[in-house]
Amino acid sequence: MSSLLSYALPALGSYAMLSIFFLRRPRLLHTPWAPVFLPRLGAHRAGSGELLENTMEAMENSLAQRSDFLELDCQLTRDGVVVVSHDKNLSRQSGVNRDVGSLDFEELPLYKEELEVYFSPGRFARGSDRHMVSLEDVFQRFPRMPMSVEVKEENEELINKIAGLVRHFDRNEITIWATEKSSVMKKCRAANPEMPFSFTIGGAIWLLLLYYLGLLPFVSIPERFFFCFLPTIINRWSFGALMKSRILKWPMAWGPVAS
């Protein structure tokens, strides 16, 4: 046993020192990636903290507040239009108990006059613009504004349409694939591999595991962006709101950098 420890302990110590050395000097093993843009301030749901989420008015306000990128969620209407909407069902947003996919784009209802801000329970946002918008219209209005586009389900038609719109508007480098599910991200990357992509929940957990095992310096990371909840946002939430959300279940789940 002692002879085994005499070999194991030095080997473990050498491994730990080597891991720490390369963790602090990653460029010795990996080629640095130069991002086209550096996101520091993002507008969650296009600026849901101040105006009605995902409206053109909210997006214009986010630009005025010097946001570096817009965080959007997309759904597909019955007539095949990619619409910017966080929810699949419209009850919370409009009071109409219908799925986005059961309506044509022109049939989509208006947003409610006020919506509760997701990261500030009890606080409501209001605005004069209550119209839902298509992703195509958003790309036309803000052609060079970086955006994160989240896909929540394995809807290949939706994924392919988003990929096609990104190519059509020449936004491959400034539009980020985002999703919580690794299976969805696999389809997104296949549809448009030129777009950068963020960590999924599984990818974030794997990243932490590699870090604590000391293997992170030796592994190439294809993800270009990591979104997580700010401590200042988490601290504003009540315990009940935390339990209702998935922050406690998935502490490394990606989320906005600002609301």
PDB file of all heavy atoms in Angstrom, residues 53-81:
ATOM      1  N   GLU A  53     -42.330  42.714 -23.600  1.00  0.00           N
ATOM      2  CA  GLU A  53     -41.304  41.836 -24.138  1.00  0.00           C
ATOM      3  C   GLU A  53     -41.467  41.555 -25.632  1.00  0.00           C
ATOM      4  O   GLU A  53     -42.575  41.434 -26.154  1.00  0.00           O
ATOM      5  CB  GLU A  53     -41.305  40.507 -23.384  1.00  0.00           C
ATOM      6  CG  GLU A  53     -42.583  39.704 -23.557  1.00  0.00           C
ATOM      7  CD  GLU A  53     -42.605  38.456 -22.684  1.00  0.00           C
ATOM      8  OE1 GLU A  53     -42.318  38.561 -21.479  1.00  0.00           O
ATOM      9  OE2 GLU A  53     -42.933  37.387 -23.225  1.00  0.00           O
ATOM     10  N   ASN A  54     -40.333  41.455 -26.313  1.00  0.00           N
ATOM     11  CA  ASN A  54     -40.256  41.029 -27.705  1.00  0.00           C
ATOM     12  C   ASN A  54     -41.024  41.904 -28.697  1.00  0.00           C
ATOM     13  O   ASN A  54     -41.387  41.448 -29.783  1.00  0.00           O
ATOM     14  CB  ASN A  54     -40.725  39.571 -27.844  1.00  0.00           C
ATOM     15  CG  ASN A  54     -39.788  38.604 -27.150  1.00  0.00           C
ATOM     16  OD1 ASN A  54     -38.578  38.772 -27.185  1.00  0.00           O
ATOM     17  ND2 ASN A  54     -40.344  37.592 -26.504  1.00  0.00           N
ATOM     18  N   THR A  55     -41.280  43.148 -28.335  1.00  0.00           N
ATOM     19  CA  THR A  55     -41.908  44.084 -29.268  1.00  0.00           C
ATOM     20  C   THR A  55     -40.828  44.962 -29.892  1.00  0.00           C
ATOM     21  O   THR A  55     -39.732  45.120 -29.344  1.00  0.00           O
ATOM     22  CB  THR A  55     -42.936  44.977 -28.566  1.00  0.00           C
ATOM     23  OG1 THR A  55     -42.279  45.720 -27.521  1.00  0.00           O
ATOM     24  CG2 THR A  55     -44.057  44.147 -27.958  1.00  0.00           C
ATOM     25  N   MET A  56     -41.152  45.554 -31.028  1.00  0.00           N
ATOM     26  CA  MET A  56     -40.205  46.453 -31.678  1.00  0.00           C
ATOM     27  C   MET A  56     -39.872  47.638 -30.771  1.00  0.00           C
ATOM     28  O   MET A  56     -38.742  48.109 -30.727  1.00  0.00           O
ATOM     29  CB  MET A  56     -40.783  46.954 -33.003  1.00  0.00           C
ATOM     30  CG  MET A  56     -40.775  45.939 -34.123  1.00  0.00           C
ATOM     31  SD  MET A  56     -39.097  45.534 -34.660  1.00  0.00           S
ATOM     32  CE  MET A  56     -39.473  44.503 -36.085  1.00  0.00           C
ATOM     33  N   GLU A  57     -40.864  48.093 -30.024  1.00  0.00           N
ATOM     34  CA  GLU A  57     -40.642  49.216 -29.109  1.00  0.00           C
ATOM     35  C   GLU A  57     -39.605  48.855 -28.054  1.00  0.00           C
ATOM     36  O   GLU A  57     -38.719  49.652 -27.726  1.00  0.00           O
ATOM     37  CB  GLU A  57     -41.955  49.609 -28.449  1.00  0.00           C
ATOM     38  CG  GLU A  57     -41.849  50.823 -27.538  1.00  0.00           C
ATOM     39  CD  GLU A  57     -43.165  51.178 -26.874  1.00  0.00           C
ATOM     40  OE1 GLU A  57     -43.908  50.241 -26.499  1.00  0.00           O
ATOM     41  OE2 GLU A  57     -43.446  52.379 -26.722  1.00  0.00           O
ATOM     42  N   ALA A  58     -39.710  47.633 -27.525  1.00  0.00           N
ATOM     43  CA  ALA A  58     -38.744  47.184 -26.523  1.00  0.00           C
ATOM     44  C   ALA A  58     -37.346  47.078 -27.122  1.00  0.00           C
ATOM     45  O   ALA A  58     -36.345  47.420 -26.480  1.00  0.00           O
ATOM     46  CB  ALA A  58     -39.179  45.838 -25.947  1.00  0.00           C
ATOM     47  N   MET A  59     -37.261  46.593 -28.357  1.00  0.00           N
ATOM     48  CA  MET A  59     -35.963  46.458 -29.010  1.00  0.00           C
ATOM     49  C   MET A  59     -35.322  47.810 -29.265  1.00  0.00           C
ATOM     50  O   MET A  59     -34.119  47.994 -29.051  1.00  0.00           O
ATOM     51  CB  MET A  59     -36.124  45.677 -30.316  1.00  0.00           C
ATOM     52  CG  MET A  59     -36.602  44.249 -30.125  1.00  0.00           C
ATOM     53  SD  MET A  59     -36.862  43.381 -31.682  1.00  0.00           S
ATOM     54  CE  MET A  59     -37.899  42.015 -31.138  1.00  0.00           C
ATOM     55  N   GLU A  60     -36.115  48.762 -29.742  1.00  0.00           N
ATOM     56  CA  GLU A  60     -35.590  50.106 -29.971  1.00  0.00           C
ATOM     57  C   GLU A  60     -35.088  50.716 -28.663  1.00  0.00           C
ATOM     58  O   GLU A  60     -34.037  51.370 -28.621  1.00  0.00           O
ATOM     59  CB  GLU A  60     -36.685  50.995 -30.574  1.00  0.00           C
ATOM     60  CG  GLU A  60     -37.131  50.602 -31.969  1.00  0.00           C
ATOM     61  CD  GLU A  60     -36.155  51.030 -33.042  1.00  0.00           C
ATOM     62  OE1 GLU A  60     -35.088  51.570 -32.698  1.00  0.00           O
ATOM     63  OE2 GLU A  60     -36.468  50.816 -34.232  1.00  0.00           O
ATOM     64  N   ASN A  61     -35.822  50.492 -27.591  1.00  0.00           N
ATOM     65  CA  ASN A  61     -35.407  51.013 -26.286  1.00  0.00           C
ATOM     66  C   ASN A  61     -34.121  50.352 -25.812  1.00  0.00           C
ATOM     67  O   ASN A  61     -33.260  51.014 -25.215  1.00  0.00           O
ATOM     68  CB  ASN A  61     -36.523  50.778 -25.268  1.00  0.00           C
ATOM     69  CG  ASN A  61     -36.160  51.304 -23.886  1.00  0.00           C
ATOM     70  OD1 ASN A  61     -36.024  52.498 -23.668  1.00  0.00           O
ATOM     71  ND2 ASN A  61     -35.993  50.377 -22.946  1.00  0.00           N
ATOM     72  N   SER A  62     -33.975  49.061 -26.079  1.00  0.00           N
ATOM     73  CA  SER A  62     -32.757  48.352 -25.678  1.00  0.00           C
ATOM     74  C   SER A  62     -31.536  48.925 -26.390  1.00  0.00           C
ATOM     75  O   SER A  62     -30.467  49.072 -25.798  1.00  0.00           O
ATOM     76  CB  SER A  62     -32.897  46.858 -25.989  1.00  0.00           C
ATOM     77  OG  SER A  62     -33.924  46.280 -25.214  1.00  0.00           O
ATOM     78  N   LEU A  63     -31.703  49.245 -27.675  1.00  0.00           N
ATOM     79  CA  LEU A  63     -30.600  49.873 -28.405  1.00  0.00           C
ATOM     80  C   LEU A  63     -30.274  51.237 -27.822  1.00  0.00           C
ATOM     81  O   LEU A  63     -29.101  51.607 -27.703  1.00  0.00           O
ATOM     82  CB  LEU A  63     -30.955  50.001 -29.884  1.00  0.00           C
ATOM     83  CG  LEU A  63     -30.438  48.879 -30.798  1.00  0.00           C
ATOM     84  CD1 LEU A  63     -31.130  47.561 -30.476  1.00  0.00           C
ATOM     85  CD2 LEU A  63     -30.636  49.241 -32.261  1.00  0.00           C
ATOM     86  N   ALA A  64     -31.320  51.972 -27.442  1.00  0.00           N
ATOM     87  CA  ALA A  64     -31.104  53.292 -26.851  1.00  0.00           C
ATOM     88  C   ALA A  64     -30.374  53.182 -25.512  1.00  0.00           C
ATOM     89  O   ALA A  64     -29.637  54.094 -25.117  1.00  0.00           O
ATOM     90  CB  ALA A  64     -32.438  54.008 -26.661  1.00  0.00           C
ATOM     91  N   GLN A  65     -30.569  52.052 -24.816  1.00  0.00           N
ATOM     92  CA  GLN A  65     -29.898  51.819 -23.542  1.00  0.00           C
ATOM     93  C   GLN A  65     -28.512  51.180 -23.732  1.00  0.00           C
ATOM     94  O   GLN A  65     -27.894  50.745 -22.773  1.00  0.00           O
ATOM     95  CB  GLN A  65     -30.761  50.908 -22.656  1.00  0.00           C
ATOM     96  CG  GLN A  65     -32.137  51.465 -22.331  1.00  0.00           C
ATOM     97  CD  GLN A  65     -32.071  52.755 -21.562  1.00  0.00           C
ATOM     98  OE1 GLN A  65     -31.207  52.926 -20.713  1.00  0.00           O
ATOM     99  NE2 GLN A  65     -32.982  53.677 -21.860  1.00  0.00           N
ATOM    100  N   ARG A  66     -28.074  51.091 -24.985  1.00  0.00           N
ATOM    101  CA  ARG A  66     -26.741  50.590 -25.349  1.00  0.00           C
ATOM    102  C   ARG A  66     -26.553  49.101 -25.059  1.00  0.00           C
ATOM    103  O   ARG A  66     -25.468  48.658 -24.656  1.00  0.00           O
ATOM    104  CB  ARG A  66     -25.644  51.405 -24.658  1.00  0.00           C
ATOM    105  CG  ARG A  66     -25.660  52.892 -25.035  1.00  0.00           C
ATOM    106  CD  ARG A  66     -24.519  53.639 -24.376  1.00  0.00           C
ATOM    107  NE  ARG A  66     -24.535  55.055 -24.752  1.00  0.00           N
ATOM    108  CZ  ARG A  66     -23.659  55.949 -24.317  1.00  0.00           C
ATOM    109  NH1 ARG A  66     -22.695  55.570 -23.491  1.00  0.00           N
ATOM    110  NH2 ARG A  66     -23.743  57.216 -24.696  1.00  0.00           N
ATOM    111  N   SER A  67     -27.589  48.341 -25.282  1.00  0.00           N
ATOM    112  CA  SER A  67     -27.457  46.886 -25.177  1.00  0.00           C
ATOM    113  C   SER A  67     -26.560  46.385 -26.302  1.00  0.00           C
ATOM    114  O   SER A  67     -26.600  46.901 -27.422  1.00  0.00           O
ATOM    115  CB  SER A  67     -28.832  46.214 -25.269  1.00  0.00           C
ATOM    116  OG  SER A  67     -29.630  46.541 -24.162  1.00  0.00           O
ATOM    117  N   ASP A  68     -25.771  45.366 -25.998  1.00  0.00           N
ATOM    118  CA  ASP A  68     -24.857  44.805 -26.991  1.00  0.00           C
ATOM    119  C   ASP A  68     -25.524  43.749 -27.864  1.00  0.00           C
ATOM    120  O   ASP A  68     -25.070  43.476 -28.971  1.00  0.00           O
ATOM    121  CB  ASP A  68     -23.640  44.172 -26.298  1.00  0.00           C
ATOM    122  CG  ASP A  68     -22.822  45.199 -25.535  1.00  0.00           C
ATOM    123  OD1 ASP A  68     -22.433  46.204 -26.145  1.00  0.00           O
ATOM    124  OD2 ASP A  68     -22.597  45.003 -24.326  1.00  0.00           O
ATOM    125  N   PHE A  69     -26.571  43.116 -27.354  1.00  0.00           N
ATOM    126  CA  PHE A  69     -27.271  42.118 -28.149  1.00  0.00           C
ATOM    127  C   PHE A  69     -28.673  41.905 -27.587  1.00  0.00           C
ATOM    128  O   PHE A  69     -28.973  42.270 -26.447  1.00  0.00           O
ATOM    129  CB  PHE A  69     -26.503  40.797 -28.194  1.00  0.00           C
ATOM    130  CG  PHE A  69     -26.593  39.969 -26.942  1.00  0.00           C
ATOM    131  CD1 PHE A  69     -27.410  38.844 -26.884  1.00  0.00           C
ATOM    132  CD2 PHE A  69     -25.853  40.298 -25.823  1.00  0.00           C
ATOM    133  CE1 PHE A  69     -27.486  38.086 -25.731  1.00  0.00           C
ATOM    134  CE2 PHE A  69     -25.918  39.545 -24.668  1.00  0.00           C
ATOM    135  CZ  PHE A  69     -26.747  38.433 -24.621  1.00  0.00           C
ATOM    136  N   LEU A  70     -29.531  41.316 -28.418  1.00  0.00           N
ATOM    137  CA  LEU A  70     -30.902  41.004 -28.030  1.00  0.00           C
ATOM    138  C   LEU A  70     -31.026  39.505 -27.814  1.00  0.00           C
ATOM    139  O   LEU A  70     -30.528  38.703 -28.615  1.00  0.00           O
ATOM    140  CB  LEU A  70     -31.887  41.441 -29.117  1.00  0.00           C
ATOM    141  CG  LEU A  70     -31.893  42.921 -29.516  1.00  0.00           C
ATOM    142  CD1 LEU A  70     -32.876  43.138 -30.657  1.00  0.00           C
ATOM    143  CD2 LEU A  70     -32.243  43.812 -28.331  1.00  0.00           C
ATOM    144  N   GLU A  71     -31.696  39.109 -26.745  1.00  0.00           N
ATOM    145  CA  GLU A  71     -31.981  37.702 -26.497  1.00  0.00           C
ATOM    146  C   GLU A  71     -33.428  37.444 -26.895  1.00  0.00           C
ATOM    147  O   GLU A  71     -34.343  38.072 -26.365  1.00  0.00           O
ATOM    148  CB  GLU A  71     -31.755  37.371 -25.017  1.00  0.00           C
ATOM    149  CG  GLU A  71     -31.868  35.895 -24.676  1.00  0.00           C
ATOM    150  CD  GLU A  71     -33.305  35.459 -24.404  1.00  0.00           C
ATOM    151  OE1 GLU A  71     -34.096  36.271 -23.894  1.00  0.00           O
ATOM    152  OE2 GLU A  71     -33.620  34.289 -24.688  1.00  0.00           O
ATOM    153  N   LEU A  72     -33.622  36.529 -27.857  1.00  0.00           N
ATOM    154  CA  LEU A  72     -34.948  36.267 -28.398  1.00  0.00           C
ATOM    155  C   LEU A  72     -35.287  34.786 -28.300  1.00  0.00           C
ATOM    156  O   LEU A  72     -34.406  33.925 -28.282  1.00  0.00           O
ATOM    157  CB  LEU A  72     -35.015  36.685 -29.875  1.00  0.00           C
ATOM    158  CG  LEU A  72     -34.518  38.089 -30.242  1.00  0.00           C
ATOM    159  CD1 LEU A  72     -34.550  38.252 -31.755  1.00  0.00           C
ATOM    160  CD2 LEU A  72     -35.369  39.158 -29.567  1.00  0.00           C
ATOM    161  N   ASP A  73     -36.593  34.484 -28.245  1.00  0.00           N
ATOM    162  CA  ASP A  73     -37.094  33.118 -28.313  1.00  0.00           C
ATOM    163  C   ASP A  73     -38.008  33.040 -29.531  1.00  0.00           C
ATOM    164  O   ASP A  73     -38.743  33.999 -29.821  1.00  0.00           O
ATOM    165  CB  ASP A  73     -37.889  32.755 -27.064  1.00  0.00           C
ATOM    166  CG  ASP A  73     -37.102  33.020 -25.794  1.00  0.00           C
ATOM    167  OD1 ASP A  73     -36.384  32.118 -25.355  1.00  0.00           O
ATOM    168  OD2 ASP A  73     -37.221  34.136 -25.243  1.00  0.00           O
ATOM    169  N   CYS A  74     -37.982  31.934 -30.229  1.00  0.00           N
ATOM    170  CA  CYS A  74     -38.748  31.838 -31.472  1.00  0.00           C
ATOM    171  C   CYS A  74     -39.708  30.662 -31.477  1.00  0.00           C
ATOM    172  O   CYS A  74     -39.412  29.596 -30.944  1.00  0.00           O
ATOM    173  CB  CYS A  74     -37.798  31.730 -32.663  1.00  0.00           C
ATOM    174  SG  CYS A  74     -36.897  33.250 -33.010  1.00  0.00           S
ATOM    175  N   GLN A  75     -40.866  30.887 -32.096  1.00  0.00           N
ATOM    176  CA  GLN A  75     -41.880  29.861 -32.313  1.00  0.00           C
ATOM    177  C   GLN A  75     -42.275  29.917 -33.786  1.00  0.00           C
ATOM    178  O   GLN A  75     -41.943  30.877 -34.495  1.00  0.00           O
ATOM    179  CB  GLN A  75     -43.102  30.111 -31.426  1.00  0.00           C
ATOM    180  CG  GLN A  75     -42.820  30.301 -29.947  1.00  0.00           C
ATOM    181  CD  GLN A  75     -42.418  29.026 -29.240  1.00  0.00           C
ATOM    182  OE1 GLN A  75     -42.662  27.921 -29.743  1.00  0.00           O
ATOM    183  NE2 GLN A  75     -41.804  29.160 -28.063  1.00  0.00           N
ATOM    184  N   LEU A  76     -43.013  28.908 -34.241  1.00  0.00           N
ATOM    185  CA  LEU A  76     -43.429  28.834 -35.638  1.00  0.00           C
ATOM    186  C   LEU A  76     -44.946  28.857 -35.731  1.00  0.00           C
ATOM    187  O   LEU A  76     -45.635  28.096 -35.048  1.00  0.00           O
ATOM    188  CB  LEU A  76     -42.889  27.555 -36.282  1.00  0.00           C
ATOM    189  CG  LEU A  76     -42.970  27.469 -37.809  1.00  0.00           C
ATOM    190  CD1 LEU A  76     -42.050  28.496 -38.453  1.00  0.00           C
ATOM    191  CD2 LEU A  76     -42.603  26.059 -38.277  1.00  0.00           C
ATOM    192  N   THR A  77     -45.489  29.744 -36.564  1.00  0.00           N
ATOM    193  CA  THR A  77     -46.937  29.840 -36.747  1.00  0.00           C
ATOM    194  C   THR A  77     -47.422  28.746 -37.694  1.00  0.00           C
ATOM    195  O   THR A  77     -46.633  28.047 -38.335  1.00  0.00           O
ATOM    196  CB  THR A  77     -47.325  31.212 -37.317  1.00  0.00           C
ATOM    197  OG1 THR A  77     -46.714  31.359 -38.608  1.00  0.00           O
ATOM    198  CG2 THR A  77     -46.852  32.333 -36.409  1.00  0.00           C
ATOM    199  N   ARG A  78     -48.734  28.633 -37.800  1.00  0.00           N
ATOM    200  CA  ARG A  78     -49.333  27.611 -38.655  1.00  0.00           C
ATOM    201  C   ARG A  78     -48.957  27.801 -40.118  1.00  0.00           C
ATOM    202  O   ARG A  78     -48.773  26.823 -40.859  1.00  0.00           O
ATOM    203  CB  ARG A  78     -50.857  27.628 -38.494  1.00  0.00           C
ATOM    204  CG  ARG A  78     -51.604  26.547 -39.278  1.00  0.00           C
ATOM    205  CD  ARG A  78     -53.063  26.529 -38.888  1.00  0.00           C
ATOM    206  NE  ARG A  78     -53.680  27.846 -39.077  1.00  0.00           N
ATOM    207  CZ  ARG A  78     -54.891  28.172 -38.613  1.00  0.00           C
ATOM    208  NH1 ARG A  78     -55.590  27.299 -37.912  1.00  0.00           N
ATOM    209  NH2 ARG A  78     -55.381  29.393 -38.822  1.00  0.00           N
ATOM    210  N   ASP A  79     -48.814  29.055 -40.546  1.00  0.00           N
ATOM    211  CA  ASP A  79     -48.465  29.325 -41.936  1.00  0.00           C
ATOM    212  C   ASP A  79     -46.954  29.453 -42.147  1.00  0.00           C
ATOM    213  O   ASP A  79     -46.501  29.970 -43.173  1.00  0.00           O
ATOM    214  CB  ASP A  79     -49.184  30.576 -42.452  1.00  0.00           C
ATOM    215  CG  ASP A  79     -48.935  31.801 -41.572  1.00  0.00           C
ATOM    216  OD1 ASP A  79     -48.460  31.633 -40.438  1.00  0.00           O
ATOM    217  OD2 ASP A  79     -49.221  32.918 -42.017  1.00  0.00           O
ATOM    218  N   GLY A  80     -46.158  28.966 -41.183  1.00  0.00           N
ATOM    219  CA  GLY A  80     -44.719  28.855 -41.375  1.00  0.00           C
ATOM    220  C   GLY A  80     -43.912  30.109 -41.157  1.00  0.00           C
ATOM    221  O   GLY A  80     -42.787  30.220 -41.666  1.00  0.00           O
ATOM    222  N   VAL A  81     -44.429  31.058 -40.379  1.00  0.00           N
ATOM    223  CA  VAL A  81     -43.692  32.284 -40.082  1.00  0.00           C
ATOM    224  C   VAL A  81     -42.970  32.129 -38.746  1.00  0.00           C
ATOM    225  O   VAL A  81     -43.573  31.707 -37.758  1.00  0.00           O
ATOM    226  CB  VAL A  81     -44.639  33.511 -40.027  1.00  0.00           C
ATOM    227  CG1 VAL A  81     -43.863  34.761 -39.639  1.00  0.00           C
ATOM    228  CG2 VAL A  81     -45.326  33.707 -41.373  1.00  0.00           C
TER     229      VAL A  81
END
